[in-house]
Amino acid sequence: MLEQESQSVAETPNDDAMPPSGLDAVNQQLAAAYPELSPQLKLAAGYVLEHPMEIAFQSIRKSAAAARVTASTLVRLAKRLGFDSYEQFREVFQSAVQAGPVELSGRASDLRTLASQTDDQVFLDVGDAAFDNIGRLFTADNQSRVRDAARILLEAEKIAVVGFRDTFACAYHFAYVGRIAMPNIQLIRGQEGGLLTELAPFGENDVVVAFGFEPYCAETMRALEIARAGGVRAIVVTDTLRSPLVPGAAMTFTVANATPHFFPSILSAITLIEVLLAECVAFGPDGLVDNVARFESRMRAMGAYVSHE
């Protein structure tokens, strides 16, 4: 039985609010309002933030049951954001995900079929999760947001990259690959108490790219606090808009990291990195391509690569 819900100030619909026009705007408004919501609306908002595909295509009753709230709670949540009805609210999600990749979904379905015909369940479940995670990244909404993020990166004088423990691999990959084209990228390591010293040179004309999944690292939070205090804009890559890394970010990407593995998957984050850097090179100045060519020439001249001939 669901707990009986009581109307509260936090649940009162905002009749004067204009509904957000896109999925990103919906998510940002939900994330901003989340701390002030009642417990039942928090359950509903949390489900909406983390299951956009389900909200797009499930009935309101099925979504409500999955979120462990009543259908009327989802209606109140939609109206709190300024929508006239839940259907109008759901249309935003349907528009955002309708361009989803059919091929990846088909491959995931094939893996499920294979799983019923073999006992190597772990191998196939990891593959299933991987295809699903990447498929959730490539939506029409994210396509435009990646372009916007690339513009922010290209306009920055300096770019700091932060990620500790499980997401250090993401930060390192972004910094290593990115510096080939954009030498103004710096990996922040924070070793031997040097976090403040490393971030001190960054200011209002700069950007910090931060990676963090639950459990969120205290060092990442501290790095963002230092950067923001200096006026640095933040691009955050995390697992949910309820993440403590989100408040104050200029742009946030939430990536799916589900996996049967014992630690969150970073596959979607690595894929997002590759997309972001590809956009920067594709739409940035010609000098970026020249940087890549010079890097390759230097590496070959120094014997960094082994020839297969």
Side-chain angles (χ1 to χ4, degrees), residues 10-68:
E11 291 180 344
T12 303
N14 188 351
D15 295 329
D16 298 326
M18 291 294 294
S21 58
L23 181 57
D24 184 52
V26 168
N27 286 339
Q28 292 295 337
Q29 285 197 22
L30 282 175
Y34 187 83
E36 310 300 326
L37 297 178
S38 68
Q40 286 296 301
L41 279 182
K42 280 185 176 180
L43 284 175
Y47 185 80
V48 169
L49 288 169
E50 295 174 12
H51 299 86
M53 295 283 286
E54 287 79 359
I55 292 297
F57 299 116
Q58 285 181 165
S59 68
I60 185 173
R61 293 189 180 279
K62 189 169 183 179
S63 292
R68 294 181 291 122

Side-chain angles (χ1 to χ4, degrees), residues 6 11 17 37 68 76 95 105 125 133 137 147 183 239 262 272 296:
S6 59
E11 291 180 344
L37 297 178
R68 294 181 291 122
R76 282 201 296 276
S95 297
S105 301
D125 278 353
N133 289 344
L137 176 64
R147 182 73 57 84
D239 51 353
F262 58 85
L272 175 61
E296 184 178 28

